[in-house]
Amino acid sequence: MKPFRTLVAMALGLIMATPSLAAETLRPQHLLTGAIDRSHDELSGQWTYSKDLYRTGLTDINGWVAKSRMQRYRDIDVAAVEAKGGVDFFEFDMDRGPRMTIPGAWNAAEPELRYYDGLIWFQRKFTPKDLKGGRAFLRFEAVNYHAHVYLNGEKIGEHEGGYTPFSFEVTDKLRAGENRLTVGVDSEHGPQTIPTGITDWDIYGGIIRPVRLIYTPQTYIDDAVIELTTDGRLKGTAKLDGPQAAGQTVNVTVSGLAVKLSATTDANGYARFDAKAPRNLKKWSPETPTLYDVSFATSSDRLDDRVGLRTIEVDGDRILLNGKSIFLRGVSLHEEEFGPNPARNMTEQASRALLSEIKYGMNGNYVRLSHYPHSDVTVRMADELGLLVWSEIPVYWTVDWENPNVLLKARTMLAEMIYRDRNRASVIMWSVGNETPVTDSRNAFHSALADTVRDIDPSRLISAALLVEGRTENGQTTIFINDPLVDKLDVMAVNTYAGWYGSNTLEELPSLRWEVPAGKPVVLSEFGADALAGLREGDGIRGKYTEDFQAEYYRQTLKMVDNIPQLRGMSPWILKDFQSLRREHPVIQNGWNRKGLVSETGVRKLAFDVMANYYKAKAAETPK
Ligand code: GCB
């Protein structure tokens, strides 16, 4: 009998041996690319809900089938049955339940739900349009963390993973008139979830992004991508879904460009385009974020998207955007809107406020969307404003590295993230993990993730936020990367907190030496220090937690990292104070991680200007 670890390694080997097939099997059955621009009914708004901490609506004691009087998803008018009398009784009534506005996390909705972590049932009714021979899909942009979905009392599917979209076809399940949609949302995380229950951010359970009923023709364009390649071509694919998917002509037009792209779908519904990019094409960049209206059309369907066209690659230890070396002037960001009680409801307004502070306030050109895929509203806003994006999945700190099911979950999340955002010019880098300690099983896990990314999207860069080590010899401290995962990455990223965590003083920072493997670009994915906005040196506290300390920490850290020759960018931790259940200092934190360069309501701290000035100077330099 082979040890478990060997079996896992063999399973990983198998996955890696058949990459394209593997990527194809990870493709969600219905992608509905560009969902926001399709014909749809918005199902956001008021939903009723019912708490179910003991999960009585899912299973009864001893694992028996849930009692019908507990099944919140039943297609039943409880009040009407009660009015008739009889033996039946109920321990729920979704129609008369309390209401919550969807989308939005429940912790912000009601004080009694502030720290609720478990199952809550949500329900709403809706009346669909006449399908007129077409098809309909229920599309969820994100449900955190595990969704159990029922339509008119019938289960239509489940989804695990709190930050990526999923869709179920309901063409034959809708009825004329009123339909009843019920979603059980379980926020609980455990050893086999991604992330596990141990993070540095808040619970944010709920239907956190919009829900829509999407209408398509019988045969429709499920997915369409277009990109500019480094050899100056416009390439793309479209995938049709439906009975007439094969042998169809797909025509692509790009607003304002005289380019003719046309192809016929193969037996599996795929069409592939390839043409020389016209000379007058304006490339997308942070300075000129040109977006083109691209439309993909067949005889029965048309899919529109606003797309930027640019190239991204590494050349030795440089990152090239449109063939030119670039320095990433960024900051990290959690998905949390400004304000004292965020609900993770990323409206355009909320997202614009955050990203504008980076772009115009801080003189930035880049944002690390940490630690999970953010709303597509945010990514589209980055396209519009001109911010480059690092996007990642929450393979964070601890994950069950040896469990093949967990690996499959991570690969599925990667696929769902990448397939959603392949048309976003802003996204230049996919990250496969954050601060995961080096072990054989972790290395194999991450390596499989890197292969998955390369397989699905070879056009973008791969990175991971790595841990660094330190060594002191003859009084000289050296920080170094000792991680075999580096071989799989295009860009090495490191998190460093010397001067905040650990025993280094701020004065020592500039003398710390960095030793990084040659030949690849390095970015600092994190560095930072806590400060309570308004707290100054001398206010009854000295050093850590004051704005003065944080600003000095930034000055000294910047001096230190300026000595790294391959440094190609940074995303200090973090734009805004964010809610975290690890942070309970009663005077300073009260549930907030205070490493923001601005407070939770947007008040800038002293360190904000340190970064803004540093980036202003960087923007004026020509990158090496
Ligand atoms: C880290 C983590 C980040 C934390 C941060 C901190 O290294 O990647 O999620 O919030 O440190 O504040 O300690």
Side-chain angles (χ1 to χ4, degrees), residues 407-427:
L407 176 63
L408 182 60
K409 282 181 204 176
R411 297 174 72 235
T412 305
M413 281 180 197
L414 273 177
E416 289 171 349
M417 169 177 77
I418 297 171
Y419 280 119
R420 189 194 71 179
D421 287 342
R422 285 192 302 170
N423 275 336
R424 303 283 75 82
S426 52
V427 181

Side-chain angles (χ1 to χ4, degrees), residues 200 371 396-397 434-435 495 497 501 526 573 578 583 593 595:
D200 189 16
H371 280 300
Y396 179 91
W397 291 352
N434 182 77
E435 288 187 350
N495 294 353
Y497 283 91
Y501 299 124
E526 283 179 35
W573 193 254
F578 62 97
R583 310 293 175 177
N593 182 314
K595 293 193 186 67

